[in-house]
Amino acid sequence: MKLHPLASALVLCFGIVLAPPLSVAEGLPNLGEAAQAELSPAMERRIGESVMLEIRRDPAWLDDPEISGYLNRLGNRLSAQSEESRQEFEFFALRDSTLNAFAMPGGYIGVHTGLILAAASESELASVLAHEISHVTQHHLARLLNKSGQGQVAGLLGLAVAILAARSSPDLAMGAAMVGQGAAIQNQLNYSREFEREADRVGLGLLERSGFDIRGMSGFFDRLQKFGRLYENNAPGYLRTHPLTTERLADLGNRIQGRPYKQVPDSLEFQLVRAKLRAQEGTSRDAVTDFDSRLRERNFTGGEAAMRYGLAQARLRDGNPAAAETEMTHLRRLKVQSPMIETLAARLRLKQGDAAGAVRLLRAAQPRYPQERAIAYGLVEALQDAGLPHEALKQTEDELLNYPSDSMMHALQAKTYAMLGKRLQQHRAQAEAYLLQGQVAAAADQLELAQKSGDGNFYEHSQVDSRLREIKKRMAEEARQAKEAKN
């Protein structure tokens, strides 16, 4: 992942799920009230936004509204139990088979798909998110910089390079660590243990108050430790750079011991998300074989509905929508309800040239799932495919009234304007999409194209001119701040 060096340092110092040896103490003080004079929450958010620009360009970025929507609902359920009610969060997934998740400044939390698939229960996945949320709500980044000071920047950069390299090559990571300031790196690792103790303690509280099984946290860590032992010296790089110890597991077990057992069933959405990810792994033929074998053997781990859904996804990926329709028929007989099933049914209609059928399905689903963004996106795209751009435009306008900060909907609106031959409005809508993604220069370019479009009325041109002045003022201010930071 190619990030600005300082941004990499800020992000990767917090890459955790199973960080260095820790303990969970009942009597730890709440350290989240430490002074933030040198790094305000607003500045943390700006840093996070800058790093997200780079992450969205990474090939591993998983631009799937259903998976990100699920992670955000799960994460917001946990963060709602935090005392930091004003903190905003955004959860996203990276297509990466390693077991990892990380918290970034400003409330951005990334999760590797490998971790989602490795979680044996929804409570286990929730325990990881709760831990990451706690890093943010306890303002660990601000406290890190306040304590480290400018003299520690070189050490932080060395640590960042080492952790980043560990994603692809543990040996390279060791070499990168040696290049940095060894003492500074070790001090930083020691300091992060303090953060980890607090994140474990606070995260466990979020997990419990959100109604999940608190044993999910210790269970997940315990299985990962056994996984590391299985591979011994050839353990994956993450486990080698972030070892688990029996001490940490014992401390966590002591905290949970004696608490009443609470069986928490997994949500259907959790199982469908995992099935969708599994259907995208390896070759399409391997995915079909895997799900088909499970169903024939009646190995319904996660439920038959998830297995049928996964097989339908795999068959569609394998270029066989008719066979996928057969699985969808079995799925409908199970009478399970989920927006993910409706979007898959609509995709099958589109793949078989029935755009009108896809529109009917999604229009029927939208009143049942009014806040499901994947349904909204799918309906606009189906209307476009059905040759109904005016209806598609009306749909985007209605959606943006309720969700004005939806960059994807602005981009769909831009495509719809292009279908209608409205070039000024096309570039203006695309500019808003870029702006919401933090791509300020690209937004300015789009507005300049809108000025030269040759269509649009006086009022529309005035709006474009005004918006462009705002953006250029912002660009000038950011350039000034960057220059001051260098000096």
Side-chain angles (χ1 to χ4, degrees), residues 411-478:
L412 287 171
Q413 188 174 76
K415 181 179 178 181
T416 308
Y417 276 127
M419 293 176 68
L420 293 168
K422 297 185 176 183
R423 296 181 60 216
L424 180 145
Q425 296 288 36
Q426 171 196 345
H427 293 302
R428 181 185 174 191
Q430 189 61 57
E432 293 303 319
Y434 283 145
L435 198 61
L436 288 164
Q437 294 168 3
Q439 301 182 55
V440 183
D445 290 342
Q446 287 293 317
L447 290 174
E448 289 175 351
L449 289 172
Q451 289 177 324
K452 303 171 185 176
S453 63
D455 64 350
N457 56 38
F458 174 80
Y459 176 70
E460 290 169 341
H461 274 279
S462 297
Q463 287 182 315
V464 169
D465 293 342
S466 176
R467 190 61 162 152
L468 183 57
R469 284 194 297 271
E470 291 176 11
I471 291 175
K472 286 189 172 180
K473 182 179 179 181
R474 173 177 167 180
M475 291 171 68
E477 177 63 19
E478 290 179 353

Side-chain angles (χ1 to χ4, degrees), residues 291-314:
F291 280 105
D292 195 41
S293 297
R294 291 170 184 261
L295 283 165
R296 281 190 285 101
E297 296 169 4
R298 303 193 65 79
N299 178 9
F300 295 153
T301 303
E304 183 179 357
M307 292 298 103
R308 295 286 181 190
Y309 173 84
L311 182 54
Q313 287 278 8

Side-chain angles (χ1 to χ4, degrees), residues 137-180:
T137 60
Q138 299 310 108
H139 306 291
H140 285 167
L141 177 60
R143 288 158 50 197
L144 167 66
L145 295 190
N146 286 346
K147 182 169 182 176
S148 297
Q150 292 298 316
Q152 294 288 328
V153 170
L156 294 180
L157 290 175
L159 177 62
V161 171
I163 299 176
L164 181 60
R167 289 193 61 188
S168 58
S169 172
D171 293 334
L172 178 61
M174 294 301 294
M178 293 177 67
V179 173

